[in-house]
Amino acid sequence: MTKENVQGAGEEEQQAQSKKALKKQQKEAEKAAKKAEKQAKLAAEQQETDEDDFAKDRYGICPMVQSQQKLDRALVRVQDLTPEKAEQQIWVRARIHTSRAKGKQCFLVLRHQQFTVQALLAVGERASKQMVKFAANLTKESIIDVEAVVKKVEQKIESCSQQDVELHVERIFVISQSEARLPLQLEDAVRPEGEGDEEGRATVNQDTRLDNRVIDLRTTTSQAIFRLQSGVCQLFRDTLINKGFVEIQTPKIISAASEGGANVFTVSYFKTSAYLAQSPQLYKQMCICADFDKVFCVGPVFRAEDSNTHRHLTEFVGLDIEMAFNYHYHEVIDSITDTMVQIFKGLRDRFQTEIQTVNKQYPSEPFKFLEPTLRLEYKEAVAMLKAAGVEMGDEEDLSTPNEKLLGRLVKEKYDTDFYVLDKYPLAVRPFYTMPDPNNPKYSNSYDMFMRGEEILSGAQRIHDAQLLTERAMHHSIDLEKIKAYIDSFRYGAPPHAGGGIGLERVTMLYLGLHNVRQTSMFPRDPKRLTP
Amino acid sequence: MPMYKVKPVSPADIKIDVPSCMYKSPNVHGHGMNCGEHALQNGEVDPSLKALEERQDEVLRRLYELKATVDGFAKTVTTPDADLDASTPSPGPAESVFKGTADLDSLLGKDLGALRDIVINANPARPPLSLLVLHALLCQRYQVLSSVHVHSSVSAVPPPLLSCLGPRHIDSYARQRFQLGFTLIWKDVSELQMKFSTQSMCPIEGEANVARFLFRLLGAEPQDPAAATQMDCWIDKAVFQLSEGGSKDRAAVLRSLNAALGRSPWLLGQEFSLADIVCACFVLRAGQTTSAPVNVQRWLKSCQNLGHFDCVYPFLQ
């Protein structure tokens, strides 16, 4: 029986073997067939590439520009590609924004700053298949030089900034190649938040943006924001120079903390330590006592506040004004508000393109203001808040939510996003604020608000050494530390007042953005020190 | 030498046919007049003359009585509760036209220690002339802090519009010293708008409606409902027919103004009122005042004489 079994098993084994063998053979046959196919394909491709590449010298990667030669070639900016240049053959240097191959054609979108234009490369008598393949494989963000003919298009290209023309590429060379994997995609960086959530497409986190600031700054929105910020600074300077102000530079390494001990950075200074200036206050005032009458300064301000809010930075650019007046500190308020209004008007009239670009990603209401600027008194503000149901004392400082509510109430009644609140209670202001002559509980101080958020805090300063000493003692400040400051008023000091604004905050509020880091190029806050 | 002799032109004795309705008086120059007979001595009066005088007195007295009764009737018909001897001339110079009192607290809400600011948004293409007149009247009654602003929606405004509320008050730095604020903002709005207390009041739209609100602050509203309705009627006529209607409507309003002003110096009778302010401003703005009917022109002159309308004239072309 066992013999039979064995025999039977042997037979079965044989059968199984032959089955297995069959399967094996089949598999091998398939493999061989596939291999043969592949080889055939490769051979065919080889054939293709070996085919005459007649466009070999019209594309490629240029050697690194080490100033080898001085080419007499005029590069046209993407911004200037308009129907007027139709049929001209020109050179353009731009980045590859996107590239898309479709059979025998390749569509490229070239970008330079805020401007984009479509470029087309098609297989034909000027371009070979290899050239189109090369163009399709170029990485995004690479900088390329393109020689092309400008062609008018009948249908507007909605997705580009230059909508009436397109480029037909003749030659294409790479000047600087970008790595294939980008840390963030520019299209995602420009996408509005709502759209991202709705369509399930990605938007970029703020932290990612700030970590890869160099790429994030290339987006059209960022370009627009910082151009507008540059405009703010320029308008500030121009307006004040026209009013007869002198620009000064004040030291940032100082020996004593001016506003208060807590929020100041310490640096080691040879054998001792020094502080980074919290504001140019002391030095502005000293300049007034030195007969400069009207001064302003633009420079960094360092505040070591551990507040991680949407509107605080540890380092920001401060635009500060100080002015001597004749009889009443309202002369200074009028001057400051007029400067702000001139800045707003300049932005409204000359930077509309930038404002519209920012609004595409961050929609907001246009900024409204009155000329001359609306000035309300603190008591009126308290009355308005009380009428709206807020409980607060007459001499209490305004909390941030109250400030925002007040901003909304003022907007409703007067339709302005910018106003001045005058005559703050004395108790909530710094020691150098001049008290109100008629009511000792109030002071000659003022705050200015944009869109309900404070942008400027200013006051008439005490210019009498005696009164200054009294007020400092009242605030329990160590007189030794501010001796130099008090001394500067001992030898005849004119009555003066002033205030300062933060450039980033003003830009943020003007555009209606929600985080000051968007308007600071390389922001500094308690958690960020690089880039 | 013989003198030049003129031949007589007419014969001496012509029979003249004297009409019988004339009475004959005795010929003083005739012959045969005996002075002694008819002389009146010592102030004696001829009895017939006396009788005549008496009759004349009687007639005149009866005439006066009739006239007085008729006047009385006329007055009771046209002015319900006027004094019978109240035929006063037009009000004098601008000093105190309206003597009523208004309770600001009840009209504007409790004073919370802050300036009560009335905000008016107007389009610079259509300056609200009647509101400028009312502003002048308010300044006489209260301490008003007036300010003019230009909104960012308007790029430029001609200088007269910036100073239309008069020169800046000396004390304008101390807002608390004023009872009322009057803030005029030149803005790109389709309809004139007034805002006061955004929490408790909705905005008021339309020049006529804002005018009614401001007039109430002067405390000079007519107490009588019939007069008040008439005032509203005139204001509505001015708004809908004078300014928004066609030339036919305008002509009709001018005719009815003319008719009304023929009967009394002001539209509501003897008192200057809001109806006069609004209608005069709209008539002046429509232009062609020289071709307006007589009474209308006289009335416009009286308005001008009051002095409140001086602020309006710079804006008429």
Side-chain angles (χ1 to χ4, degrees):
Chain A
M1 274 188 312
T2 45
K3 247 198 197 166
E4 281 175 4
N5 281 349
V6 168
Q7 262 192 348
E11 269 180 27
E12 281 176 22
E13 274 181 32
Q14 271 184 354
Q15 280 183 344
Q17 263 184 357
S18 58
K19 267 196 197 165
K20 273 194 191 165
L22 263 174
K23 273 194 187 167
K24 235 189 185 175
Q25 276 178 356
Q26 272 182 348
K27 273 200 181 159
E28 279 182 14
E30 277 176 30
K31 262 199 191 165
K34 272 196 187 161
K35 223 180 178 180
E37 253 186 77
K38 259 200 197 161
Q39 277 184 344
K41 226 187 182 177
L42 269 174
E45 278 180 21
Q46 266 312 102
Q47 257 196 330
E48 270 183 30
T49 47
D50 286 346
E51 255 175 41
D52 208 12
D53 188 357
F54 54 90
K56 228 186 265 195
D57 57 344
R58 286 206 279 275
Y59 69 96
I61 299 184
C62 274
M64 183 170 65
V65 176
Q66 270 180 304
S67 308
Q68 294 94 331
Q69 48 171 330
K70 217 173 174 186
L71 272 180
D72 192 15
R73 192 187 281 170
L75 296 175
V76 178
R77 294 187 306 173
V78 172
Q79 191 174 7
D80 299 330
L81 293 174
T82 52
E84 286 144 2
K85 289 202 158 50
E87 302 306 320
Q88 286 179 26
Q89 190 154 347
I90 43 96
W91 279 91
V92 174
R93 176 173 292 184
R95 282 188 194 273
I96 297 187
H97 188 65
T98 55
S99 73
R100 200 173 73 237
K102 225 176 176 182
K104 293 203 174 173
Q105 286 180 327
C106 176
F107 286 95
L108 298 166
V109 174
L110 302 179
R111 182 187 87 241
H112 179 63
Q113 293 176 345
Q114 303 114 296
F115 306 99
T116 47
V117 71
Q118 183 163 286
L120 170 60
L121 183 57
V123 176
E125 51 178 42
R126 307 282 295 164
S128 62
K129 273 191 236 178
Q130 293 89 331
M131 184 170 166
V132 176
K133 195 164 155 228
F134 169 78
N137 286 340
L138 287 173
T139 47
K140 283 194 196 175
E141 294 303 300
S142 301
I143 301 183
I144 55 171
D145 273 358
V146 162
E147 186 186 27
V149 178
V150 181
K151 294 276 188 201
K152 266 204 268 201
V153 284
E154 282 97 34
Q155 231 184 2
K156 280 202 180 221
I157 303 172
E158 296 290 325
S159 54
C160 293
S161 71
Q162 313 302 105
Q163 297 183 333
D164 302 317
V165 292
E166 100 180 329
L167 297 176
H168 288 201
V169 177
E170 309 252 318
R171 287 200 262 183
I172 176 166
F173 293 102
V174 176
I175 299 297
S176 173
Q177 205 169 25
S178 159
E179 277 184 28
R181 283 197 51 154
L182 293 170
L184 61 96
Q185 298 297 323
L186 264 82
E187 297 168 317
D188 295 338
V190 180
R191 192 165 290 130
E193 286 279 333
E195 210 183 281
D197 293 330
E198 274 169 29
E199 300 180 25
R201 302 229 199 114
T203 49
V204 185
N205 200 347
Q206 182 160 286
D207 279 330
T208 320
R209 280 178 204 275
L210 294 176
D211 288 335
N212 301 289
R213 199 52 161 161
V214 170
I215 304 182
D216 184 46
L217 286 174
R218 292 182 196 170
T219 56
T220 48
T221 314
S222 297
Q223 293 276 321
I225 292 177
F226 291 102
R227 271 167 218 289
L228 194 124
Q229 194 171 72
S230 157
V232 172
C233 212
Q234 189 205 342
L235 285 161
F236 181 79
R237 279 211 169 92
D238 287 346
T239 315
L240 287 175
I241 299 266
N242 283 337
K243 284 184 195 285
F245 278 70
V246 176
E247 184 170 1
I248 59 169
Q249 318 296 342
T250 61
K252 305 299 168 208
I253 311 178
I254 57 178
S255 62
S258 49
E259 307 251 350
N263 304 334
V264 68
F265 287 114
T266 319
V267 288
S268 65
Y269 198 77
F270 302 107
K271 300 228 169 73
T272 57
S273 44
Y275 304 98
L276 290 179
Q278 291 169 300
S279 79
Q281 177 80 16
L282 268 54
Y283 295 97
K284 283 193 297 180
Q285 290 187 258
M286 288 193 201
C287 275
I288 299 295
C289 297
D291 275 354
F292 279 94
D293 268 4
K294 300 185 192 178
V295 296
F296 72 97
C297 65
V298 178
V301 171
F302 304 96
R303 300 255 168 105
E305 276 178 37
D306 194 5
S307 42
N308 295 294
T309 68
H310 70 281
R311 57 187 200 162
H312 283 101
L313 293 171
T314 49
E315 178 189 348
F316 60 91
V317 178
L319 306 173
D320 282 88
I321 302 176
E322 198 77 17
M323 187 175 137
F325 60 84
N326 299 332
Y327 294 104
H328 200 286
Y329 73 99
H330 280 188
E331 297 164 36
V332 180
I333 293 190
D334 288 343
S335 205
I336 299 180
T337 52
D338 186 54
T339 309
M340 297 305 297
V341 165
Q342 295 306 319
I343 294 179
F344 299 145
K345 274 189 179 174
L347 292 177
R348 174 193 72 185
D349 296 337
R350 292 170 13 199
F351 288 85
Q352 271 306 317
T353 331
E354 280 78 5
I355 297 174
Q356 297 308 322
T357 311
V358 175
N359 272 342
K360 266 197 240 167
Q361 185 173 358
Y362 301 108
S364 74
E365 294 273 319
F367 190 79
K368 296 193 194 150
F369 54 93
L370 296 177
E371 183 186 5
T373 305
L374 179 67
R375 181 167 48 82
L376 300 176
E377 285 189 0
Y378 195 79
K379 288 195 183 151
E380 278 177 78
V382 172
M384 278 171 99
L385 286 171
K386 282 185 177 164
V390 171
E391 309 238 336
M392 63 176 287
D394 284 335
E395 285 172 57
E396 224 180 284
D397 199 4
L398 292 174
S399 64
T400 317
N402 284 346
E403 280 178 4
K404 291 222 169 99
L405 175 60
L406 184 61
R408 276 202 298 277
L409 293 172
V410 170
K411 176 87 189 262
E412 241 186 285
K413 186 164 178 183
Y414 297 91
D415 200 22
T416 172
D417 287 312
F418 175 64
Y419 67 98
V420 183
L421 204 55
D422 192 18
K423 297 281 183 200
Y424 265 69
L426 186 58
V428 302
R429 303 304 265 192
F431 74 97
Y432 51 73
T433 312
M434 181 69 86
D436 188 338
N438 301 321
N439 187 341
K441 295 217 166 111
Y442 289 89
S443 62
N444 291 354
S445 64
Y446 43 88
D447 271 7
M448 297 193 192
F449 296 86
M450 274 173 74
R451 294 196 202 253
E453 297 197 28
E454 180 203 315
I455 56 152
L456 180 146
S457 212
Q460 176 182 357
R461 326 289 188 192
I462 298 179
H463 60 283
D464 177 66
Q466 171 91 16
L467 181 57
L468 194 54
T469 316
E470 275 172 37
R471 296 295 306 160
M473 289 201 299
H474 182 269
H475 278 257
S476 318
I477 293 183
D478 188 354
L479 288 173
E480 271 309 301
K481 288 208 172 143
I482 51 170
K483 184 172 179 310
Y485 176 57
I486 298 184
D487 283 347
S488 47
F489 300 108
R490 287 194 200 281
Y491 309 107
H496 57 283
I501 57 174
L503 178 63
E504 289 89 349
R505 206 186 267 196
V506 168
T507 313
M508 165 181 89
L509 291 169
Y510 185 83
L511 290 170
L513 300 172
H514 296 293
N515 197 310
V516 74
R517 290 161 188 75
Q518 291 168 312
T519 51
S520 173
M521 237 180 219
F522 302 103
R524 292 282 173 269
D525 65 34
K527 301 202 162 41
R528 177 171 292 277
L529 261 183
T530 63
Chain B
M1 203 183 299
M3 284 182 68
Y4 184 69
K5 211 166 183 178
V6 178
K7 285 209 185 103
V9 177
S10 56
D13 289 303
I14 308 176
K15 207 75 170 116
I16 302 170
D17 213 58
V18 177
S20 56
C21 64
M22 289 171 69
Y23 64 87
K24 275 193 159 128
S25 62
N27 195 346
V28 182
H29 305 288
H31 302 292
M33 273 303 293
N34 206 344
C35 297
E37 280 180 15
H38 296 282
L40 295 165
Q41 285 146 10
N42 296 332
E44 271 174 48
V45 180
D46 189 6
S48 59
L49 189 54
K50 231 195 210 168
L52 194 57
E53 273 181 31
E54 275 168 26
R55 259 178 62 207
Q56 188 183 31
D57 284 340
E58 177 73 38
V59 166
L60 280 174
R61 195 171 43 82
R62 275 168 59 200
L63 264 177
Y64 281 139
E65 272 172 31
L66 271 171
K67 183 169 184 291
T69 346
V70 168
D71 273 348
F73 278 135
K75 287 196 172 73
T76 49
V77 161
T78 56
T79 48
D81 48 7
D83 285 336
L84 277 181
D85 54 355
S87 48
T88 48
S90 309
E95 277 317 310
S96 43
V97 178
F98 299 114
K99 294 191 203 69
T101 50
D103 184 9
L104 279 184
D105 276 350
S106 67
L107 286 166
L108 296 177
K110 205 162 79 75
D111 183 358
L112 289 170
L115 180 69
R116 288 189 278 220
D117 201 2
I118 299 174
V119 178
I120 295 180
N121 296 323
N123 197 315
R126 289 187 303 275
L129 304 175
S130 58
L131 301 187
L132 299 178
V133 175
L134 284 164
H135 167 260
L137 288 167
L138 279 170
C139 286
Q140 284 176 355
R141 288 289 309 287
Y142 304 105
Q143 286 190 307
V144 180
L145 176 63
S146 342
S147 36
V148 181
H149 297 270
V150 177
H151 193 261
S152 54
S153 55
V154 173
S155 49
V157 148
L161 288 180
L162 292 173
S163 48
C164 61
L165 293 184
R168 213 167 153 187
H169 202 283
I170 306 173
D171 282 340
S172 63
Y173 60 84
R175 284 168 75 92
Q176 278 194 291
R177 295 190 193 170
F178 295 87
Q179 295 169 286
L180 264 189
F182 193 101
T183 305
L184 179 58
I185 302 180
W186 295 115
K187 189 173 160 182
D188 189 12
V189 277
S190 52
E191 186 77 50
L192 185 134
Q193 194 186 52
M194 186 205 102
K195 291 192 186 178
F196 177 66
S197 164
T198 45
Q199 301 294 309
S200 52
M201 273 173 61
C202 68
I204 299 182
E205 289 197 2
E207 186 179 337
N209 298 325
V210 178
R212 286 179 175 115
F213 178 83
L214 292 176
F215 192 64
R216 233 165 269 160
L217 296 179
L218 287 168
E221 261 199 318
Q223 300 301 316
D224 172 49
T229 317
Q230 207 173 20
M231 186 175 86
D232 276 332
C233 180
W234 278 116
I235 296 175
D236 284 342
K237 262 200 203 142
V239 169
F240 295 115
Q241 292 180 286
L242 254 184
S243 89
E244 291 175 27
S247 51
K248 262 195 196 168
D249 289 321
R250 270 206 291 277
V253 173
L254 285 173
R255 275 197 298 274
S256 53
L257 277 173
N258 195 39
L261 291 168
R263 294 192 289 267
S264 55
W266 304 108
L267 283 174
L268 287 192
Q270 304 301 326
E271 301 266 319
F272 180 69
S273 70
L274 182 64
D276 298 291
I277 299 176
V278 174
C279 291
C281 285
F282 276 74
V283 168
L284 287 170
R285 186 157 56 195
Q288 302 161 331
T289 47
T290 43
S291 57
V294 181
N295 290 330
V296 173
Q297 289 203 29
R298 173 189 53 84
W299 165 71
L300 285 177
K301 203 82 183 62
S302 329
C303 289
Q304 197 178 0
N305 289 341
L306 281 180
H308 305 300
F309 285 72
D310 292 342
C311 50
V312 158
Y313 284 91
F315 301 105
L316 306 170
Q317 270 101 359

